[in-house]
Coordinates of all heavy atoms in Angstrom, one line a residue:
V1470 N -15.0 -4.5 2.1 CA -15.0 -5.7 1.2 C -16.4 -6.3 1.2 O -17.0 -6.6 2.3 CB -14.0 -6.7 1.7 CG1 -14.0 -8.0 0.8 CG2 -12.6 -6.1 1.7
T1471 N -17.0 -6.4 0.0 CA -18.4 -7.0 -0.1 C -18.4 -8.0 -1.2 O -17.4 -8.1 -2.0 CB -19.4 -5.9 -0.4 OG1 -20.7 -6.5 -0.4 CG2 -19.1 -5.2 -1.7
G1472 N -19.4 -8.8 -1.3 CA -19.6 -9.8 -2.3 C -20.8 -10.6 -2.1 O -21.3 -10.6 -1.0
K1473 N -21.3 -11.2 -3.2 CA -22.5 -12.1 -3.0 C -22.1 -13.2 -2.0 O -21.0 -13.7 -1.9 CB -22.8 -12.7 -4.4 CG -24.1 -13.5 -4.3 CD -24.4 -14.1 -5.7 CE -25.7 -14.8 -5.7 NZ -25.8 -15.9 -4.8
G1474 N -23.1 -13.7 -1.3 CA -22.9 -14.8 -0.3 C -22.3 -16.0 -1.0 O -22.7 -16.4 -2.1
G1475 N -21.3 -16.5 -0.4 CA -20.6 -17.7 -0.9 C -19.4 -17.4 -1.8 O -18.8 -18.3 -2.3
T1476 N -19.1 -16.1 -2.0 CA -17.9 -15.8 -2.8 C -16.6 -15.7 -2.0 O -15.6 -15.6 -2.6 CB -18.1 -14.4 -3.5 OG1 -18.3 -13.4 -2.5 CG2 -19.3 -14.4 -4.4
G1477 N -16.7 -15.8 -0.7 CA -15.5 -15.8 0.1 C -15.0 -14.4 0.5 O -13.8 -14.2 0.7
K1478 N -16.0 -13.5 0.7 CA -15.6 -12.1 1.0 C -14.8 -12.0 2.4 O -13.9 -11.2 2.5 CB -16.7 -11.2 0.9 CG -17.8 -11.4 2.0 CD -18.9 -10.4 1.9 CE -20.0 -10.6 3.0 NZ -19.5 -10.3 4.3
T1479 N -15.2 -12.8 3.3 CA -14.5 -12.7 4.6 C -13.1 -13.2 4.5 O -12.2 -12.6 5.1 CB -15.3 -13.6 5.7 OG1 -16.6 -13.1 5.8 CG2 -14.6 -13.6 7.0
T1480 N -12.9 -14.3 3.7 CA -11.5 -14.7 3.5 C -10.7 -13.6 2.8 O -9.5 -13.4 3.2 CB -11.5 -16.0 2.7 OG1 -12.2 -17.0 3.3 CG2 -10.1 -16.5 2.4
V1481 N -11.2 -13.0 1.8 CA -10.5 -11.9 1.1 C -10.3 -10.8 2.0 O -9.2 -10.2 2.0 CB -11.3 -11.5 -0.2 CG1 -10.7 -10.3 -0.8 CG2 -11.4 -12.7 -1.2
A1482 N -11.2 -10.4 2.8 CA -11.0 -9.3 3.8 C -9.9 -9.6 4.8 O -9.1 -8.7 5.0 CB -12.4 -9.0 4.5
A1483 N -9.9 -10.8 5.3 CA -8.8 -11.2 6.2 C -7.4 -11.1 5.5 O -6.5 -10.6 6.1 CB -9.1 -12.6 6.8
A1484 N -7.3 -11.6 4.3 CA -6.1 -11.6 3.6 C -5.7 -10.2 3.2 O -4.5 -9.8 3.3 CB -6.2 -12.5 2.4
L1485 N -6.6 -9.4 2.9 CA -6.3 -8.0 2.6 C -5.8 -7.2 3.8 O -4.8 -6.5 3.7 CB -7.6 -7.3 2.1 CG -7.5 -5.8 1.8 CD1 -6.4 -5.6 0.7 CD2 -8.8 -5.2 1.3
A1486 N -6.3 -7.5 5.0 CA -5.8 -6.9 6.2 C -4.3 -7.3 6.4 O -3.5 -6.5 6.8 CB -6.6 -7.3 7.4
L1487 N -4.0 -8.6 6.2 CA -2.6 -9.0 6.3 C -1.7 -8.3 5.3 O -0.6 -7.9 5.6 CB -2.5 -10.5 6.1 CG -3.0 -11.4 7.3 CD1 -3.1 -12.9 6.9 CD2 -2.1 -11.3 8.5
A1488 N -2.2 -8.2 4.1 CA -1.4 -7.5 3.1 C -1.2 -6.0 3.4 O 0.0 -5.5 3.2 CB -2.2 -7.6 1.7
L1489 N -2.2 -5.4 3.9 CA -2.0 -4.0 4.2 C -1.1 -3.8 5.5 O -0.6 -2.7 5.7 CB -3.4 -3.3 4.5 CG -4.3 -3.2 3.2 CD1 -5.7 -2.9 3.6 CD2 -3.7 -2.1 2.3
A1490 N -1.0 -4.8 6.3 CA -0.2 -4.7 7.5 C 1.2 -5.0 7.3 O 2.1 -4.9 8.2 CB -0.8 -5.6 8.6
A1491 N 1.6 -5.4 6.1 CA 3.0 -5.7 5.8 C 3.9 -4.5 6.1 O 3.5 -3.4 6.0 CB 3.1 -6.2 4.4
D1492 N 5.2 -4.8 6.4 CA 6.2 -3.8 6.6 C 5.9 -2.9 7.8 O 6.2 -1.7 7.8 CB 6.4 -3.0 5.3 CG 6.9 -3.8 4.1 OD1 7.7 -4.7 4.4 OD2 6.5 -3.6 3.0
G1493 N 5.4 -3.5 8.8 CA 5.3 -2.8 10.1 C 4.0 -1.9 10.3 O 4.0 -1.1 11.2
R1494 N 3.0 -2.0 9.4 CA 1.9 -1.2 9.5 C 0.9 -1.8 10.5 O 0.9 -3.0 10.7 CB 1.3 -0.9 8.2 CG 2.1 0.1 7.3 CD 1.4 0.4 6.0 NE 1.5 -0.7 5.1 CZ 2.4 -0.8 4.2 NH1 3.4 0.0 4.2 NH2 2.4 -1.9 3.4
S1495 N -0.1 -1.0 11.0 CA -1.1 -1.4 11.9 C -2.5 -1.3 11.2 O -2.8 -0.3 10.7 CB -1.1 -0.5 13.1 OG -2.1 -0.9 14.0
V1496 N -3.2 -2.5 11.2 CA -4.5 -2.6 10.5 C -5.5 -3.1 11.4 O -5.3 -4.0 12.3 CB -4.3 -3.5 9.3 CG1 -5.7 -3.7 8.6 CG2 -3.3 -2.8 8.3
L1497 N -6.7 -2.6 11.3 CA -7.9 -3.1 12.1 C -8.8 -3.8 11.1 O -9.2 -3.2 10.0 CB -8.6 -1.9 12.8 CG -9.9 -2.3 13.5 CD1 -9.6 -3.3 14.7 CD2 -10.7 -1.1 14.0
L1498 N -9.2 -5.0 11.4 CA -10.1 -5.8 10.6 C -11.5 -5.8 11.4 O -11.5 -6.3 12.5 CB -9.6 -7.2 10.4 CG -10.4 -8.2 9.7 CD1 -10.8 -7.7 8.3 CD2 -9.7 -9.5 9.6
V1499 N -12.5 -5.4 10.8 CA -13.8 -5.2 11.4 C -14.9 -6.2 10.9 O -15.0 -6.2 9.6 CB -14.3 -3.8 11.3 CG1 -15.7 -3.6 11.9 CG2 -13.3 -2.8 11.8
E1500 N -15.5 -6.9 11.8 CA -16.6 -7.8 11.4 C -17.9 -7.1 11.7 O -18.1 -6.6 12.8 CB -16.5 -9.1 12.1 CG -17.7 -10.1 11.7 CD -17.5 -11.5 12.3 OE1 -16.5 -12.1 11.8 OE2 -18.2 -11.9 13.2
T1501 N -18.9 -7.1 10.8 CA -20.1 -6.3 10.9 C -21.4 -7.2 11.1 O -22.4 -6.7 11.5 CB -20.3 -5.4 9.7 OG1 -20.5 -6.2 8.5 CG2 -19.2 -4.4 9.5
E1502 N -21.3 -8.5 10.8 CA -22.5 -9.3 10.8 C -22.6 -10.3 11.9 O -23.6 -11.1 11.9 CB -22.5 -10.1 9.4 CG -22.6 -9.1 8.2 CD -22.8 -9.9 7.0 OE1 -21.8 -10.4 6.4 OE2 -23.9 -10.0 6.5
G1503 N -21.7 -10.3 12.9 CA -21.9 -11.1 14.0 C -21.7 -12.6 13.8 O -22.3 -13.4 14.6
R1504 N -21.1 -13.0 12.7 CA -20.9 -14.5 12.5 C -19.7 -15.1 13.0 O -19.4 -16.3 12.9 CB -21.0 -14.7 11.0 CG -22.4 -14.4 10.4 CD -22.4 -14.7 8.9 NE -21.6 -13.9 8.1 CZ -20.4 -14.3 7.6 NH1 -20.0 -15.5 7.7 NH2 -19.7 -13.5 6.9
Q1505 N -18.8 -14.2 13.5 CA -17.5 -14.7 14.0 C -16.6 -15.4 13.0 O -15.8 -16.3 13.3 CB -17.6 -15.5 15.3 CG -18.2 -14.8 16.5 CD -17.2 -13.8 17.0 OE1 -16.0 -13.8 16.8 NE2 -17.7 -12.8 17.8
G1506 N -16.8 -15.0 11.7 CA -16.1 -15.7 10.7 C -14.6 -15.3 10.7 O -13.7 -16.2 10.4
I1507 N -14.2 -14.1 11.2 CA -12.8 -13.7 11.3 C -12.1 -14.6 12.4 O -11.0 -15.0 12.2 CB -12.7 -12.2 11.6 CG1 -13.2 -11.4 10.4 CG2 -11.3 -11.8 12.0 CD1 -13.3 -9.9 10.7
A1508 N -12.8 -14.7 13.5 CA -12.2 -15.6 14.6 C -11.9 -17.0 14.1 O -10.9 -17.6 14.4 CB -13.1 -15.6 15.8

Side-chain angles (χ1 to χ4, degrees):
V1470 180
T1471 184
K1473 186 181 184 301
T1476 58
K1478 68 179 179 65
T1479 299
T1480 299
V1481 173
L1485 178 59
L1487 285 170
L1489 292 167
D1492 297 324
R1494 288 184 286 270
S1495 179
V1496 174
L1497 177 65
L1498 177 58
V1499 179
E1500 179 171 294
T1501 62
E1502 296 186 280
R1504 295 183 293 107
Q1505 291 293 337
I1507 291 171

